[in-house]
Amino acid sequence: MFEVSRVVRFTAVSLAALCVSAAVAGAGAADPLPPFPPDQNQLPSLPTEPQLYDALPIPVPAEDPWYNDPPNLADYAPGEIIRSRTVQTRLLGIPFPVDTRQLLYRTNDVHDNPIATATSVITPGIPWHGSPRPVISFQEAIDSTDSACNPSYTLQTGTMKEAALAQFWLAQGFAINVPDFDGKFNTFNTYDEGKMVLDSLRAMKSEPTLGLTDSGIALYGYSGGGSGSLRAAELRETYAPDVRLLGTAVGGMPADLIAQARYAVEQQPGLTGISNFTMWLGFAALSREFPDAFDAEELLTDDGQRILREFQSRCVYTIALTGMYRPISDYFRPGKSLETSPEVQAVLTSQSLGKHIPDTPVFWWHGIWDELIPPAAVLPVVNDYWHRGADLRFYTMPLPEHIVNAGAGWPPAVAWTSAVLRGLPPGPRFKADFGLPGN
């Protein structure tokens, strides 16, 4: 049993995270926006979330030997379990009555080098009879640069920001797989996200204590979680045909990274100025996989490099607060930009969605007034999916704001994934992209 003081500390950290998230959602700015002085940060240097977690009795992944790579990692097959353990899942720091089994498994990075990452498989105490228990693979929008932000850790501390969304799948008796699909080094919007999702499902299937070997699986994710989910759906046929995928529900993620970068690097008015943080996050994360292309010393001024260092070892809350309303274009060296770097353009093109067409049904929504991800960064890939015959159901949400669209799109996504997991047909193809340019 945890002491009351420990529960209080867990809850305090959780509430602090929620307050920061609310500040992000409610932030605004005047139009036009004055540039920040080059020698001044937008905000005082914020403490990083891992610094807050130091007050908790659960060690962060970087200090937990359970996450360590084995010396013979390359000898493991993709999806093979390295080690496992049972942990306590918490919601707002309070223990939650489910069984959670964590698996450390081998997978591959974007360059096909062997790496290890973790997944958490949550099973409710509800009996399931007549067929293998269905599984929803829940890809959280991790969107961070530190492993302490990954769900294998935040599920234990009670600070996983999307944990409450899992309740309706759990209430039906479904198991939930929650992978650290950005890896322990936290990359972002790259195709290894799909590999990590698929290999987490291979690991889950092979763990005998779970009884999920023959389970049907559906993927769910919004924003950064949608990126990992749809990349897994695209790669399933060639990378993991042994994974029995019944459908994928996604929304709110950038599909065309060239269009997303073009939008996020520049100053935007009003609420849309929040989007500037996504390019700082993208630069910080992509520089880990592609250091020669995303070279801060080559592309950014000294002030830009200093700000980029602020983005290391942070979760999405303080990344957003530090980077919104601060266009990275203000910090390029003279004559430099993402547009004029062939190496950067090549990376963004190679990692944009649409390289493969999913061979299983897809349910996809997007807000027409999403301030973080504009429709121009989504519709080209949607149209490509449609014309190439993807089993697609796409619709636009006539609502403003990224988080609002997440909440509004979640109930239909739950209903659709629940139906396909119970063996019902996914429904007809449709592309209801009303309210977008040219429609």
Side-chain angles (χ1 to χ4, degrees), residues 25 222 365 367 371 397-411:
Y222 184 80
W365 79 97
E371 83 284 5
M397 190 79 73
L399 294 171
E401 211 282 314
H402 190 69
I403 304 302
V404 169
N405 280 282
W410 173 71

Side-chain angles (χ1 to χ4, degrees), residues 100-124:
T100 303
R101 189 77 174 161
Q102 290 191 333
L103 312 173
L104 189 75
Y105 60 96
R106 179 256 167 98
T107 185
N108 293 320
D109 69 10
V110 73
H111 306 294
D112 275 332
N113 299 311
I115 56 172
T117 192
T119 194
S120 305
V121 184
I122 304 170
T123 307

Side-chain angles (χ1 to χ4, degrees), residues 256-311:
D256 183 334
L257 298 186
I258 295 284
Q260 177 63 30
R262 187 175 294 125
Y263 172 78
V265 299
E266 298 296 339
Q267 189 178 66
Q268 300 291 341
L271 188 67
T272 57
I274 295 174
S275 65
N276 288 150
F277 89 84
T278 63
M279 196 61 246
W280 288 102
L281 170 60
F283 198 114
L286 290 169
S287 66
R288 299 176 177 187
E289 293 273 25
F290 304 97
D292 293 337
F294 286 84
D295 184 342
E297 292 186 1
E298 172 72 17
L299 294 172
L300 300 181
T301 63
D302 291 344
D303 287 317
Q305 294 174 53
R306 176 180 56 79
I307 294 169
L308 190 67
R309 287 192 292 271
E310 278 279 303
F311 284 83

Side-chain angles (χ1 to χ4, degrees), residues 375-393:
V378 175
L379 197 57
V381 175
V382 170
N383 287 334
D384 187 48
Y385 268 35
W386 182 258
H387 294 309
R388 292 168 66 185
D391 192 356
L392 176 66
R393 293 134 205 87

Side-chain angles (χ1 to χ4, degrees), residues 347-429:
V347 169
L348 295 177
T349 299
S350 69
Q351 300 307 311
S352 291
L353 285 162
K355 296 297 177 294
H356 314 270
I357 296 300
D359 66 332
T360 52
V362 174
F363 178 94
W364 187 350
W365 79 97
H366 197 84
I368 61 175
W369 297 302
D370 188 319
E371 83 284 5
L372 297 187
I373 317 295
V378 175
L379 197 57
V381 175
V382 170
N383 287 334
D384 187 48
Y385 268 35
W386 182 258
H387 294 309
R388 292 168 66 185
D391 192 356
L392 176 66
R393 293 134 205 87
F394 177 82
Y395 71 99
T396 51
M397 190 79 73
L399 294 171
E401 211 282 314
H402 190 69
I403 304 302
V404 169
N405 280 282
W410 173 71
V414 171
W416 186 81
T417 54
S418 299
V420 298
L421 284 173
R422 292 181 180 277
L424 296 175
R429 294 172 77 232

Side-chain angles (χ1 to χ4, degrees), residues 156-394:
Q156 297 182 69
T157 61
T159 54
M160 179 182 166
K161 59 187 181 300
E162 298 179 37
L165 297 179
Q167 60 181 310
F168 287 100
W169 286 299
L170 286 172
Q172 295 180 74
F174 298 165
I176 299 184
N177 177 68
V178 189
D180 294 356
F181 67 91
D182 282 335
K184 67 174 66 175
F185 303 113
N186 289 76
T187 56
F188 184 63
N189 275 343
T190 50
Y191 266 100
D192 51 349
E193 291 182 330
K195 298 176 185 178
M196 292 186 218
V197 171
L198 293 167
D199 284 331
S200 76
L201 296 169
R202 285 170 158 166
M204 176 200 77
K205 284 160 47 72
S206 67
E207 172 54 53
T209 64
L210 295 173
L212 302 173
T213 302
D214 299 316
S215 295
I217 299 163
L219 306 177
Y220 168 84
Y222 184 80
S223 193
S227 169
S229 300
L230 201 52
R231 291 173 196 279
E234 284 196 13
L235 292 176
R236 190 213 74 89
E237 185 176 20
T238 56
Y239 184 80
D242 51 312
V243 172
R244 185 185 168 209
L245 183 57
L246 302 178
T248 300
V250 293
M253 71 286 182
D256 183 334
L257 298 186
I258 295 284
Q260 177 63 30
R262 187 175 294 125
Y263 172 78
V265 299
E266 298 296 339
Q267 189 178 66
Q268 300 291 341
L271 188 67
T272 57
I274 295 174
S275 65
N276 288 150
F277 89 84
T278 63
M279 196 61 246
W280 288 102
L281 170 60
F283 198 114
L286 290 169
S287 66
R288 299 176 177 187
E289 293 273 25
F290 304 97
D292 293 337
F294 286 84
D295 184 342
E297 292 186 1
E298 172 72 17
L299 294 172
L300 300 181
T301 63
D302 291 344
D303 287 317
Q305 294 174 53
R306 176 180 56 79
I307 294 169
L308 190 67
R309 287 192 292 271
E310 278 279 303
F311 284 83
Q312 306 303 319
S313 300
R314 289 190 179 276
C315 301
V316 66
Y317 307 114
T318 58
I319 286 175
L321 285 171
T322 304
M324 62 186 185
Y325 300 111
R326 169 178 277 139
I328 198 172
S329 58
D330 286 351
Y331 299 91
F332 287 132
R333 290 189 182 277
K336 300 289 185 179
S337 72
L338 301 186
E339 294 274 7
T340 59
S341 171
E343 296 82 7
V344 166
Q345 295 297 296
V347 169
L348 295 177
T349 299
S350 69
Q351 300 307 311
S352 291
L353 285 162
K355 296 297 177 294
H356 314 270
I357 296 300
D359 66 332
T360 52
V362 174
F363 178 94
W364 187 350
W365 79 97
H366 197 84
I368 61 175
W369 297 302
D370 188 319
E371 83 284 5
L372 297 187
I373 317 295
V378 175
L379 197 57
V381 175
V382 170
N383 287 334
D384 187 48
Y385 268 35
W386 182 258
H387 294 309
R388 292 168 66 185
D391 192 356
L392 176 66
R393 293 134 205 87
F394 177 82

Side-chain angles (χ1 to χ4, degrees), residues 48-55 60 146 148-149 313-315:
T48 68
E49 290 87 344
Q51 288 173 331
L52 299 177
Y53 290 140
D54 283 343
V60 296
D146 191 274
C149 314
S313 300
R314 289 190 179 276
C315 301

Side-chain angles (χ1 to χ4, degrees), residues 69-119:
D69 291 358
N72 61 334
L73 178 60
D75 294 337
Y76 287 78
E80 186 175 354
I81 297 172
I82 298 167
R83 62 183 70 97
S84 64
R85 65 182 179 185
T86 297
V87 300
Q88 175 67 66
T89 285
R90 296 176 177 83
L91 188 62
L92 293 180
I94 301 173
F96 196 70
V98 291
D99 178 78
T100 303
R101 189 77 174 161
Q102 290 191 333
L103 312 173
L104 189 75
Y105 60 96
R106 179 256 167 98
T107 185
N108 293 320
D109 69 10
V110 73
H111 306 294
D112 275 332
N113 299 311
I115 56 172
T117 192
T119 194

